[in-house]
């Protein structure tokens, strides 16, 4: 059993009004439910699951006495809680909004029209009782009872996509005594720091096991000589006398603390010197945790670069990647690509929680400060900016990788060093090997080169993380926008590639259109059936190089729109066992079905290609080192918030006709994004620069 002080906690939930009285500006509804479980964290217990137990003690005297405030985002006083009652399993509140506060009237109207639906209670449990500990995850569940309700608040924080209600701790103007009942005795055994340091050195020197080390620590009334005899007997199998030394009684550590620090040393690979430093002075677990985090942040290596986005992280504090992870898991529209780390002690942190933590780490007192004041203080801090940049980068990457890139099976990816000309050069023909006679190696003409030329262009977009969103502690809209931009970037690349096929461009190698009779890669309007697929396969197989050498190309993909998707599935589905020769699907195991809605511009058009490894059709080039979208951010005094610029530098060109066959030339063309206004933009920028 432990006794400690805990800050006010909050639980957020979707709110559905049960009654609304416009004349009195009152609203009644359920703000919490008995028995609800949510994950939270404190430094004494760590990460745990808390279960609300209103029926084992509920203090609602503040509401009965007319002293419970109705808040907006735990910051602005907008009214009063008239009544609070536990009806069955539901905690119901009747709230009156102030007619003399503009915020109160506006918030009432937002709730009435349904555009603000999140409510929260601020509460303080007097008792946390251990209920169970999951054997697989090690996560403990505590029942919160004797709960005092402090306030009810309307909040703009959206629900976590993975949970219906959020639970977290906030450093508000309240701190309450709480008793933790976890089965440990009140009078926990203590051991002097002098003996702890001595035993720890012996553990390192003699390689003592954790079990034997814990056995040593558990002994009562032992002198240093007694411990020495035990250790020597354990190591050498004999007892050896040692000088007796009385154990100091001052400056002692609890056995629980010693084992906690030993566990931290193993878990985080702490050095022996730092472990000794921790053991040298009694502290609270909170203080030990701060010291360990600070030590880890100083020794933390630079983060790895992802395949598409560099995650910017300040080296000064380990909180940045952990808070980033927590924010991404809270706001991502879909399940993030990587799961939340089990040891993430910041899993319940919001953006403003991280700001308060960072300010506190630098010695700034934040207790009692509003989110608006915190926002003013945190501006200009590189560590806080790194959190928002990390969050934006991760959301951008998650959105970008969420879209399937249907063009990859027939597109070659490369990198280029600049925005200048990209040249794809290849020999139009190559001689066949010839027999070496009398040691003379034959030579041959490679033939003229086939050259395709194109440029890489920059494409970008601006979006703002507003001051309002940060003060409201709400990254929902910003996160959605960034995620969608990442997804749109993937679709944008697809548009670049498909425009090179559907628009039937002129090839630089011979001046002919991609699909032409001379290229022998255009059909006669064949339907997507066995005869049409046979024609495509035969035409691709028969292609020759510039010296009339056979290439033996193999049809591997068919590309269709939604109109032909069902038919295409019949010829690519391989899990049906035929019952006769006539029902055999000859294409089932040899070709892949690719479906993209861009083909619906010409519903009856379809085309077939080889694999990229054999004869790529299109080449997509990124600037070197940046395959995919990038992110840059900066503050602008003219903007009420922080500006982010997202972009992608990419170029595209069709490079060969031999590995593609189309049933007919598309009549409806696509807008080519690479040709939109790039030359005009360049001239205008140059003119503006001269002015």
């Amino acid at each position: 059993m432990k006794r400690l002080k805990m800050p006010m906690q909050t639980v957020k939930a979707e709110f559905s009004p049960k009654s609304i009285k416009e004349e009195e500006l009152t609203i009644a509804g359920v703000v919490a439910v008995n028995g609800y479980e949510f994950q939270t964290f404190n430094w004494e217990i760590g990460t745990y699951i808390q279960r609300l137990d209103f029926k084992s003690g509920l203090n609602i005297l503040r509401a009965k006495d007319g002293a419970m405030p109705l808040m907006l985002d735990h910051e602005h006083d907008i009214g009063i809680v008239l009544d609070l009652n536990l009806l069955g399993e539901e905690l119901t509140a009747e709230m009156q909004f102030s007619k003399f506060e503009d915020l109160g009237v506006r918030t009432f109207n937002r709730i009435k029209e349904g555009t603000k639906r999140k409510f929260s209670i601020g509460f303080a449990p007097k008792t946390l009782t251990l209920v169970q500990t999951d054997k697989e995850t090690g996560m403990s569940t505590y029942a919160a009872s004797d709960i005092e309700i402090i306030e009810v608040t309307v909040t703009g924080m959206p629900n976590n996509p993975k949970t219906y209600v959020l639970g977290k701790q906030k450093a508000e103007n309240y701190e309450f005594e709480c008793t933790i009942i976890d089965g440990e005795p009140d009078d926990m055994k203590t051991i002097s720091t002098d003996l702890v340091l001595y035993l720890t050195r012996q553990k390192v020197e003699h390689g003592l096991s954790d079990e034997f080390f814990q056995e040593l620590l558990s002994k009562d009334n032992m002198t240093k000589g007694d411990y020495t005899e035990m250790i020597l007997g354990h190591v050498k199998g004999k007892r050896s006398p040692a000088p007796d030394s009385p154990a100091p009684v001052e400056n002692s550590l609890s056995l629980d603390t010693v084992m906690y620090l030993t566990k931290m040393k193993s878990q985080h690979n702490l050095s022996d010197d730092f472990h000794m430093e921790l053991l040298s002075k009694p502290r609270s677990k909170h203080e030990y945790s701060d010291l360990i985090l600070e030590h880890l942040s100083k020794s933390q290596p630079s983060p790895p670069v992802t395949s598409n986005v560099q995650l910017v992280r300040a080296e000064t504090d380990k909180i940045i990647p952990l808070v980033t992870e927590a924010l991404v898991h809270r706001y991502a529209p879909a399940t993030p690509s990587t799961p939340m780390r089990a040891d993430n002690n910041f899993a319940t942190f919001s953006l403003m929680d991280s700001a308060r933590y960072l300010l506190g780490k630098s010695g700034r007192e934040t207790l009692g400060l509003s989110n608006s004041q915190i926002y003013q203080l945190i501006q200009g801090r590189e560590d806080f900016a790194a959190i928002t940049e990390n969050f934006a980068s991760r959301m951008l990457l998650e959105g970008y990788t969420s879209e399937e890139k249907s063009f990859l099976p027939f597109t070659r990816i490369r990198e280029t060093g600049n925005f200048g000309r990209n040249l794809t050069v290849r020999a139009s023909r190559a001689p066949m090997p010839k027999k070496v006679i009398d040691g003379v190696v034959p030579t041959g003409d490679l033939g003229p080169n086939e050259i395709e030329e194109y440029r890489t262009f920059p494409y970008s977009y601006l979006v703002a993380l507003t001051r309002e969103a940060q003060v409201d502690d709400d990254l929902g809209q910003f996160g959605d926008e960034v995620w969608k931009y990442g997804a749109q970037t993937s679709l944008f690349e697809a548009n670049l590639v498909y425009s090179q096929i559907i628009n039937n461009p002129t090839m630089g190698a011979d001046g002919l259109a991609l699909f032409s009779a001379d290229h022998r890669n255009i059909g006669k309007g064949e339907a997507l059936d066995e005869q049409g697929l046979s024609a495509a396969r035969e035409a691709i197989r028969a292609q020759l190089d510039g010296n009339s050498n056979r290439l033996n190309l193999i049809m591997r993909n068919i590309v269709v729109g939604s109109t032909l998707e069902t038919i295409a599935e019949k010829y690519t589905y391989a899990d049906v066992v035929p019952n006769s020769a006539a029902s055999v699907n000859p294409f089932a195991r040899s070709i892949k079905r690719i479906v993209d809605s861009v083909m619906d511009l010409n519903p009856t058009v379809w085309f077939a290609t080889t694999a990229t490894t054999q004869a790529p059709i299109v080449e997509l080039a990124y600037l070197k080192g940046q395959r995919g979208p990038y992110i840059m951010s900066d503050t602008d005094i003219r903007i009420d918030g922080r500006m982010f610029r997202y972009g992608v530098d990419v170029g595209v060109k069709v490079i060969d006709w031999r590995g593609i066959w189309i049933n007919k030339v598309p009549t409806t063309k696509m807008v080519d994004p690479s040709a939109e206004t790039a030359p005009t933009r360049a001239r205008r920028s140059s003119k503006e620069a001269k002015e």
Side-chain angles (χ1 to χ4, degrees):
M1 186 165 64
K2 307 181 185 73
R3 294 178 178 84
L4 68 154
K5 288 188 176 182
M6 295 178 64
M8 182 185 78
Q9 300 185 59
T10 63
V11 174
K12 294 181 174 66
E14 189 84 15
F15 179 81
S16 179
K18 290 192 173 183
S19 67
I20 298 177
K21 298 179 182 178
E22 292 195 45
E23 293 183 1
E24 292 86 359
L25 254 63
T26 61
I27 294 178
V30 178
V31 293
V33 179
N34 181 62
Y36 186 79
E37 294 183 350
F38 57 92
Q39 183 172 303
T40 185
F41 171 85
N42 73 47
W43 290 106
E44 189 66 33
I45 302 176
T47 301
Y48 67 101
I49 295 172
Q50 185 173 147
R51 178 189 302 163
L52 296 178
D53 188 0
F54 292 138
K55 294 188 176 181
S56 295
L58 180 62
N59 184 345
I60 55 176
L61 290 178
R62 289 174 184 258
K64 300 300 183 183
D65 293 342
M68 184 176 294
L70 176 62
M71 308 293 290
L72 177 62
D73 296 323
H74 298 282
E75 182 178 354
H76 305 288
D77 192 338
I78 59 172
I80 190 172
V81 179
L82 297 175
D83 200 6
L84 200 63
N85 289 292
L86 184 63
L87 303 177
E89 302 296 323
E90 298 177 338
L91 184 63
T92 303
E94 183 180 1
M95 299 153 285
Q96 183 171 28
F97 294 77
S98 174
K99 298 179 181 179
F100 302 101
E101 294 285 345
D102 289 341
L103 272 178
V105 176
R106 290 205 305 268
T107 304
F108 175 87
N109 289 328
R110 291 280 302 277
I111 296 171
K112 185 180 68 173
E113 70 181 8
T115 56
K116 212 168 187 56
R117 300 189 299 273
K118 311 295 185 297
F119 268 70
S120 167
I121 60 168
F123 68 97
K126 288 188 177 181
T127 306
L128 289 176
T129 304
L130 179 63
V131 177
Q132 62 181 15
T133 299
D134 191 295
K135 293 182 179 180
E136 293 184 2
T137 65
M139 183 77 72
S140 296
T141 299
Y142 285 79
S145 57
D146 297 327
I147 298 173
E148 180 181 3
I149 308 299
I150 311 298
E151 67 178 34
V152 176
T153 187
V154 184
T155 177
M157 174 73 76
N159 284 341
N160 186 311
K162 310 298 178 302
T163 59
Y164 190 64
V165 178
L166 298 174
K168 67 175 183 177
Q169 294 177 315
K170 291 180 66 69
E172 301 290 344
N173 294 322
Y174 310 97
E175 209 168 38
F176 302 89
E177 293 284 348
C178 180
T179 300
I180 299 178
I181 303 174
D182 53 10
E184 293 183 358
D186 293 337
D187 299 323
M188 185 169 292
K189 178 184 181 300
T190 63
I191 184 170
S192 70
T193 56
D194 177 65
L195 282 177
V196 169
L197 291 173
Y198 170 74
L199 292 175
T200 303
R201 292 190 189 99
Q202 298 303 308
K203 181 180 188 296
V204 174
E205 182 178 340
H206 297 293
L208 304 180
S209 66
D210 291 340
E211 292 78 8
F212 183 65
F213 182 62
Q214 188 167 359
E215 181 184 344
L216 291 173
L217 292 171
S218 65
K219 298 295 183 181
D220 293 321
N221 303 318
M222 294 278 285
T223 65
K224 190 177 289 186
D226 296 330
Y227 283 120
T228 302
E229 285 190 16
M230 280 191 67
I231 293 170
L232 289 176
H234 176 77
V235 174
K236 300 179 181 180
K238 63 180 180 179
R239 304 180 66 84
S240 175
D244 201 21
S245 173
V249 294
E250 297 180 357
N251 203 26
S252 60
L253 298 174
S254 71
L255 177 58
D256 176 66
T257 300
V258 175
M259 296 312 300
Y260 167 74
L261 293 177
T262 303
K263 179 182 177 182
M264 290 297 102
K265 179 182 186 300
S266 174
Q267 183 174 334
H268 299 292
N269 197 25
L270 303 178
S271 66
D272 291 337
D273 290 341
F274 181 63
H275 186 220
M276 293 292 190
E277 181 184 336
L278 292 174
L279 292 168
S280 65
K281 182 181 178 181
R283 298 178 175 91
S284 68
K285 279 190 180 180
H286 192 161
E287 293 172 319
Y288 281 125
S289 297
D290 278 350
L291 287 172
I292 292 170
L293 282 175
E294 184 176 356
H295 176 78
L296 289 173
S297 68
K298 290 178 180 178
S299 58
Q300 186 77 8
S302 299
V305 178
T306 68
S307 59
N308 293 294
V309 181
Q310 290 189 357
L311 297 185
V312 185
R313 180 176 65 78
E315 294 288 330
T316 57
D317 206 322
K318 193 184 178 183
I319 183 181
I320 295 171
L322 297 176
V323 171
T324 299
E325 181 181 63
L327 293 175
V328 169
H329 276 262
R330 175 177 292 186
Y331 292 105
T335 303
S337 56
T338 55
M340 179 88 76
R341 282 173 280 188
D343 61 344
N344 189 341
N345 292 333
F346 301 93
T348 60
F349 267 43
S350 67
L351 185 63
M352 283 293 103
D353 288 337
S354 66
R356 291 177 186 273
Y357 179 88
L358 293 173
L359 290 171
K361 290 283 289 181
S362 60
R364 182 65 188 242
E365 178 59 57
T366 62
L367 199 61
L369 296 182
S370 66
N371 282 357
S372 180
Q373 292 170 311
I374 294 294
Y375 175 83
Q376 297 296 332
L377 292 173
I378 203 68
Q379 293 310 299
R381 290 277 298 257
E382 291 185 3
D383 45 13
F384 183 73
I387 289 176
T388 58
E389 290 171 1
N390 269 11
F391 172 72
S393 297
R394 279 287 306 277
M395 294 294 276
L396 181 71
L397 176 60
E398 293 289 346
Y400 179 71
T401 55
S402 68
E403 287 291 331
E404 182 180 356
K405 295 175 175 57
S406 63
F407 56 86
L408 287 180
F410 55 85
T411 302
R412 182 168 69 192
I413 306 298
R414 62 170 288 199
E415 293 184 358
T416 181
N418 53 58
F419 287 107
R421 294 191 308 163
N422 296 328
L423 300 178
T424 294
V425 183
R426 62 185 180 279
S428 63
R429 63 179 182 270
M432 287 288 187
K434 294 183 179 179
K435 185 178 181 181
V436 176
I437 302 175
D438 296 331
V440 178
V441 179
T443 60
D445 181 17
L446 291 178
N449 289 329
E450 294 179 353
I451 300 176
E452 298 297 335
E453 179 180 338
Y454 63 101
R455 283 189 58 193
T456 300
F457 289 103
Y459 305 88
S460 61
Y461 176 74
L462 291 175
V463 63
L465 174 56
T466 65
R467 173 176 172 269
E468 179 183 3
Q470 295 179 69
V471 172
D472 287 349
D473 218 357
D474 183 0
L475 296 178
Q477 180 178 348
F478 175 73
D480 283 349
E481 190 167 359
V482 177
W483 176 289
K484 290 175 182 176
Y485 180 77
Q488 284 295 340
T489 301
S490 184
L491 292 174
F492 174 77
E493 292 172 352
N495 287 343
L496 287 171
V497 170
Y498 281 106
S499 67
Q500 289 291 304
I501 295 174
I502 292 176
N503 293 349
N504 197 23
T506 300
M507 304 292 294
D510 58 9
L512 299 175
L514 168 65
F515 301 114
S516 65
D518 288 345
H519 287 162
R520 300 182 297 278
N521 64 353
I522 184 171
K524 301 177 181 179
E526 286 87 345
L528 183 59
D529 53 21
E530 187 170 329
Q531 288 73 30
L533 290 170
S534 295
R537 182 161 64 179
E538 182 180 346
I540 289 175
R541 182 83 73 173
Q543 285 288 0
L544 306 174
D545 70 4
N547 203 32
S548 297
N549 293 320
R550 67 186 184 87
L551 295 173
N552 195 34
L553 300 180
I554 303 172
M555 181 177 73
R556 291 300 188 194
N557 309 297
I558 56 171
V559 184
V560 300
S562 60
T563 304
L564 299 176
E565 181 174 3
T566 302
I567 298 175
E569 189 169 5
K570 293 179 180 179
Y571 290 100
T572 55
Y573 188 66
D575 290 341
V576 175
V577 178
N579 54 19
S580 66
S583 63
V584 171
N585 177 9
F587 306 99
R589 300 185 184 277
S590 62
I591 60 175
K592 176 184 176 181
R593 177 183 72 259
I594 299 173
V595 182
D596 198 295
S597 59
V598 72
M599 295 294 292
D600 291 332
L601 288 170
N602 300 273
T604 59
V605 172
W606 59 277
F607 64 87
T609 75
T610 59
T612 304
T613 53
Q614 194 173 32
I617 313 304
V618 180
E619 185 171 275
L620 188 72
Y622 300 99
L623 279 189
K624 190 173 183 179
Q626 189 59 59
R627 292 195 175 194
Y630 63 83
I631 174 176
M632 297 187 296
S633 73
D634 199 0
T635 55
D636 189 334
I637 195 65
R638 297 167 298 178
I639 303 297
D640 191 18
R642 188 175 188 85
M643 290 301 300
F644 289 81
R645 176 187 171 186
Y646 303 97
V648 61
D649 302 322
V650 66
V652 65
K653 186 68 172 69
V654 62
I655 58 174
D656 201 357
W657 63 83
R658 297 177 178 89
I660 188 171
W661 181 93
I662 197 166
N663 70 329
K664 58 183 176 181
V665 176
T667 55
T668 303
K669 307 301 181 183
M670 285 183 64
V671 174
D672 182 1
S674 65
E676 273 187 343
T677 55
T680 305
R681 273 203 309 272
R683 287 196 297 270
R684 183 167 60 249
S685 299
S686 176
K687 180 181 177 182
E688 290 172 352
K690 291 179 181 179
E691 294 176 351

